[in-house]
Each structure stands twice: as C-alpha cells, then as structure tokens.
Amino acid sequence: MEKRGQVWIETVVYTLIAFVILGAILGFAKPKIEQLQDKSIIEQSIKMLESIDDTIKEIQTTSGNKREIELSIKKGSLNIDALNDQIIFEIESQYAYSEPGILIKKGSIDIKNEKVGKINKINAKINYAEKYDITLNNEDKPELLAKSSAPYKLFISNEGEVNGLTKINFEFT
C-alpha cells in the first residue's frame, strides 16, 4: 500500500517539475518570439512604404495615371497625413529597430526609434511637402489606417499640377 502512494507522489512531483521547466522555457522564449515577429512586421511595413513611394514616383510623370496597391497592416497604424503631405507608419514593439533617438534614412523613408519604458515606439515617415500635394479623396484631411485582418485597397492617382506641385490623390475601398 505504501509503494502505491510513493508512486503517485513521485508522479505528481515529476509532473510539477516538468511544468516548472516548461514555464521557464516559455517565459524566456515568448518575448524573443514576439521580438522576431515584430522585426518581421516592421520590415514588411517599411517595404509597404517603399512600395507606396515607388508607385508615386511611377505615376508622377503623366497626369491621370492611377495605380492600385494592397496594404496589409498586421500591427501598428498607417497615417496618411494629407494636411502635412506625409505618410507615417507607427508601431509599438519590444524590438528595437535602431538606437533610440537616432534617425535612419532608408531611401526617402526616415525611421526613428524612441524608447518609452520597455517599449520601443518606431516611426517611419515619408515627407512629400516639397515634391507633391497629397490629398485623400481630393481633400486635405488625415486618415489613420489601423491593423486589419483584411488588406486595404489603396488607389493612388496623379491629378495634375497645382501650385507647382504634382497633386497625388489617395482613395481607399
């Protein structure tokens, strides 16, 4: 009778030890996995901004040109700021893209990382104020696109020249 009790106690102790080890591994590995996921999302978002920039450069030469882009935002937000003629992607992440406070230029994209506690606030921005007049549905208004499971359809069109700047219009469906 005592041996049966001892077997059950050993089984419970070994099970508890296994759970503690598994919990410790998950406690260490989960933040690293989240950092890798955030790194991937940030890189994809920068490529998305590059794609928007390339499309604008492609249609700038001829008035009436229009292109469609699909935007997938898995985390963070995309702000099309037509008032200030800029496009901004922001994300809060465990991953530090760069040294805090240092501005990195990647083509026409300015990327800045700010440390807020344990969180990194990463801001990627394209400023078109000197080249283009950005509008959203032919209005100077901002639009914030948040994360979504379905991709956004963005139409970018060249609406001609206004006050010496090429007017680039964004439309969403």
Side-chain angles (χ1 to χ4, degrees), residues 23-45:
I25 291 171
L26 284 176
F28 176 75
K30 188 177 180 215
K32 293 293 181 192
I33 291 169
E34 288 174 353
Q35 282 183 354
L36 290 173
Q37 287 174 334
D38 285 353
K39 178 183 178 184
S40 175
I41 290 170
I42 292 165
E43 293 293 332
Q44 288 173 358
S45 300

Side-chain angles (χ1 to χ4, degrees), residues 5-83:
Q6 181 181 354
V7 169
W8 279 107
I9 291 172
E10 288 175 0
T11 303
V12 169
V13 168
Y14 292 144
T15 303
L16 287 174
I17 290 171
F19 281 140
V20 167
I21 291 172
L22 189 61
I25 291 171
L26 284 176
F28 176 75
K30 188 177 180 215
K32 293 293 181 192
I33 291 169
E34 288 174 353
Q35 282 183 354
L36 290 173
Q37 287 174 334
D38 285 353
K39 178 183 178 184
S40 175
I41 290 170
I42 292 165
E43 293 293 332
Q44 288 173 358
S45 300
I46 290 171
K47 286 189 188 312
M48 174 183 65
L49 285 176
E50 288 172 340
S51 174
I52 292 170
D53 190 46
D54 290 344
T55 302
I56 289 173
K57 288 175 183 172
E58 188 179 303
I59 67 168
Q60 77 178 357
T61 55
T62 308
S63 180
N65 265 342
K66 187 174 190 176
R67 299 285 189 276
E68 176 186 353
I69 297 179
E70 280 195 5
L71 305 177
S72 294
I73 302 173
K74 296 178 182 168
K75 189 174 179 182
S77 62
L78 181 71
N79 182 8
I80 297 177
D81 186 0
L83 289 170

Side-chain angles (χ1 to χ4, degrees), residues 132-157:
Y132 308 110
D133 178 23
I134 302 293
T135 58
L136 187 65
N137 297 323
N138 290 312
E139 296 179 38
D140 275 336
K141 64 178 184 177
E143 179 78 25
L144 185 68
L145 302 176
K147 71 178 185 174
S148 172
S149 57
Y152 292 97
K153 286 196 179 198
L154 172 65
F155 293 94
I156 304 173
S157 60

